[in-house]
């Protein structure tokens, strides 16, 4: 399928971080579309209620259960997915978790986010390798509004989306203190930008990922169809806008209430490209699903270059939420909250 509309507009914009320039990439189609069939991976245990995220490093995979009964995180061997152990015990004691939003498993570090407690926690493997222990807790600055996602920038800094609307990202030190805010929401809604920034920031809630090797930070909106690519070192910024446009919402009681579509639900920056799970269904469509036949998730994976060009659209045979892309094996491992066999593998063409 040919790319029917592709415009790059360069302009300079004032923001909290005073970036050099922003580029807008507008697209209506992808130059290539491929259909992928998922292979369900047999599980030797049933521990999930809502498997939301998956992260892999080496021979270990960690799956986050958004509504875990006893634990929020479960460790498996990779790529065969034999159960090893669980961690992140659910509870209200100082060593337990009230909530789980995401995890980052990079360079041997396993970090989790508890939004209700406002804590980032680092877990380490025991010598046996079969279990994990809490090793460090970072209490987030009270200046931050409820943190719903995070990325690891380096050994001393975390990145958290800014839900105050004052910036796009909050940079947090290893001690949990707010260091600075950078960027701004790339919206055309000047009225909301001037008078309703917190509601605007809620509507622009994004899932983020950062790749240290190529200095690419990506934010994908949960509503609408906007994917932003930042290069923190040189402050360049690319905004990829699809046919559904920016998040649509109305303001009620100071909150942003979604009125458009469900957008992205996960994003991963690899060494070669950006992969994002896209939904694209309206809230009206979602609300009209028959009881007992409700399907949750996105049926598409969009692939962009590291500079924002649309490359490929994968159309899946099922609906998924979280992904891990293994470019060496040419596979995408995903979570399917609708299935009793919720871990699915797709082989990329």
């Amino acid at each position: 399928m040919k790319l029917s509309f592709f415009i790059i507009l360069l302009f300079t914009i004032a923001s909290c971080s005073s970036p050099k320039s922003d580029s807008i990439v507008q697209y209506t189609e992808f130059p290539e579309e491929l259909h992928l069939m998922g292979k369900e991976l047999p599980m030797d245990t049933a521990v999930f209620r809502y498997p939301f995220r998956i992260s892999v490093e080496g021979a270990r995979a960690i799956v986050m259960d958004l509504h875990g009964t006893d634990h929020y995180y479960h460790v498996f061997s990779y790529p065969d997915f034999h159960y090893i152990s669980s961690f992140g015990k659910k509870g209200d004691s100082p060593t337990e978790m009230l909530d789980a939003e995401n995890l980052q498993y990079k360079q041997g570090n396993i970090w989790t986010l508890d939004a209700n407690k406002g804590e980032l926690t680092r877990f380490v493997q025991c010598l046996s390798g079969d279990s994990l222990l809490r090793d460090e807790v970072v209490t987030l600055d009270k200046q931050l509004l409820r943190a719903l996602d995070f990325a690891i920038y380096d050994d001393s800094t975390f990145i958290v989306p800014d839900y105050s609307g004052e910036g796009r990202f909050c940079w947090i030190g290893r001690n949990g203190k707010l260091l600075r805010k950078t960027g701004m929401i790339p919206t055309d809604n000047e009225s909301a930008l001037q008078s309703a920034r917190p509601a605007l920031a809620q509507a622009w809630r994004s899932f983020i990922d950062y790749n240290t090797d190529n200095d690419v930070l990506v934010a994908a909106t949960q509503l609408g169809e906007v994917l932003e690519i930042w290069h923190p070192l040189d402050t360049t910024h690319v905004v990829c806008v699809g046919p559904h446009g920016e998040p649509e919402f109305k303001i009620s009681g100071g909150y942003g209430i979604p009125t458009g579509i469900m957008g992205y639900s996960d994003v991963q920056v690899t060494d070669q490209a950006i992969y994002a799970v896209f939904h694209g269904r309206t809230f009206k469509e979602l609300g009209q699903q028959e009881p007992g036949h409700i399907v949750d998730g996105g049926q598409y994976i969009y692939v962009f270059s590291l500079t924002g060009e649309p490359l490929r659209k994968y159309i899946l045979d099922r609906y998924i939420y979280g992904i891990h892309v293994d470019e060496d094996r040419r596979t995408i491992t995903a979570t399917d909250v609708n299935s009793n066999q919720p871990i699915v593998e797709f082989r990329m063409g």
Side-chain angles (χ1 to χ4, degrees):
M1 187 175 292
K2 298 295 184 183
L3 185 64
S4 62
F5 186 67
F6 185 81
I7 296 177
I8 299 180
L9 172 65
L10 298 179
F11 63 94
T12 301
I13 185 170
S15 75
C16 299
S17 61
S18 301
K20 293 178 182 178
S21 64
D22 291 357
S23 300
I24 304 296
V25 175
Q26 292 183 311
Y27 62 92
T28 58
E29 296 176 347
F30 285 78
E32 183 180 18
E33 291 187 1
L34 295 173
H35 291 260
L36 298 183
M37 300 289 291
K39 174 187 175 184
E40 294 181 350
L41 301 182
M43 308 289 290
D44 53 10
T45 185
V47 294
F48 299 123
R49 290 184 62 193
Y50 200 94
F52 189 64
R53 286 284 179 266
I54 180 170
S55 188
V56 176
E57 184 167 273
R60 292 288 185 269
I62 301 176
V63 179
M64 188 192 96
D65 189 348
L66 192 65
H67 304 308
T69 303
D70 299 312
H71 295 86
Y72 286 111
Y73 301 96
H74 307 283
V75 185
F76 296 85
S77 60
Y78 178 82
D80 50 4
F81 276 86
H82 293 303
Y83 174 76
I84 297 174
S85 64
S86 300
F87 68 101
K89 185 173 175 57
K90 186 175 183 178
D92 55 8
S93 79
T95 60
E96 296 174 334
M97 299 184 67
L98 294 175
D99 168 71
E101 295 292 341
N102 204 352
L103 78 152
Q104 293 286 329
Y105 186 13
K106 294 181 178 180
Q107 297 179 338
N109 289 305
I110 303 168
W111 287 92
T112 66
L113 170 62
D114 184 332
N116 286 343
K117 281 190 173 183
E119 290 180 349
L120 290 167
T121 302
R122 184 167 67 92
F123 290 84
V124 296
Q125 292 184 351
C126 293
L127 293 177
S128 65
D130 293 338
S131 60
L132 295 165
L133 297 175
R134 287 164 52 100
D135 189 62
E136 181 181 357
V137 177
V138 175
T139 301
L140 298 176
D141 199 311
K142 299 300 183 183
Q143 296 183 63
L144 296 178
L145 295 182
R146 181 184 172 91
L148 297 176
D149 203 357
F150 76 105
I152 300 169
Y153 181 67
D154 58 25
D155 290 342
S156 61
T157 314
F158 303 97
I159 307 169
V160 174
D162 181 14
Y163 294 106
S164 72
E166 297 172 358
R168 196 68 176 103
F169 301 108
C170 297
W171 296 75
I172 311 299
R174 191 68 172 254
N175 59 1
K177 300 300 181 183
L178 176 64
L179 302 175
R180 64 188 181 279
K181 295 185 177 184
T182 61
M184 65 180 297
I185 299 171
T187 180
D188 290 331
N189 190 339
E190 292 294 336
S191 175
L193 195 59
Q194 295 298 322
S195 59
R197 289 197 174 196
L200 179 69
Q202 291 167 25
W204 276 76
R205 177 192 175 177
S206 297
F207 302 106
I208 67 173
D209 192 34
Y210 176 70
N211 188 315
T212 306
D213 294 334
N214 50 31
D215 188 46
V216 174
L217 169 65
V218 173
T221 57
Q222 186 178 32
L223 308 177
E225 191 174 347
V226 182
L227 184 139
E228 297 173 71
I229 304 169
W230 298 78
H231 295 268
L233 292 179
D234 64 14
T235 69
T236 55
H237 180 208
V238 178
V239 184
C240 304
V241 184
H244 295 284
E246 66 177 76
E248 296 178 12
F249 67 101
K250 63 181 180 180
I251 299 175
S252 177
Y255 293 95
I257 308 299
T259 58
I261 67 156
M262 282 291 291
Y264 295 101
S265 65
D266 198 10
V267 63
Q268 182 181 345
V269 185
T270 69
D271 292 340
Q272 301 175 19
I274 297 163
Y275 297 78
V277 179
F278 185 71
H279 294 219
R281 292 188 288 172
T282 67
F283 284 94
K284 182 178 180 180
E285 289 176 292
L286 295 172
Q288 290 176 341
Q289 295 186 92
E290 297 181 6
H293 296 86
I294 295 175
V295 178
D296 200 2
Q299 198 176 7
Y300 311 101
I301 297 175
Y302 289 175
V303 186
F304 298 85
S305 73
L306 297 177
T307 54
E309 293 88 358
L311 299 178
R312 192 175 304 111
K313 176 181 180 179
Y314 289 122
I315 302 170
L316 312 178
D317 67 336
R318 67 195 67 214
Y319 293 80
I320 65 169
Y321 251 93
I323 57 171
H324 168 74
V325 180
D326 189 329
E327 290 179 326
D328 293 334
R329 296 180 63 239
R330 299 295 298 165
T331 59
I332 299 173
T333 308
T335 61
D336 177 0
V337 301
N338 310 289
S339 174
N340 290 328
Q341 296 291 339
I343 306 301
V344 182
E345 184 178 272
F346 299 92
R347 187 159 294 277
M348 292 185 281

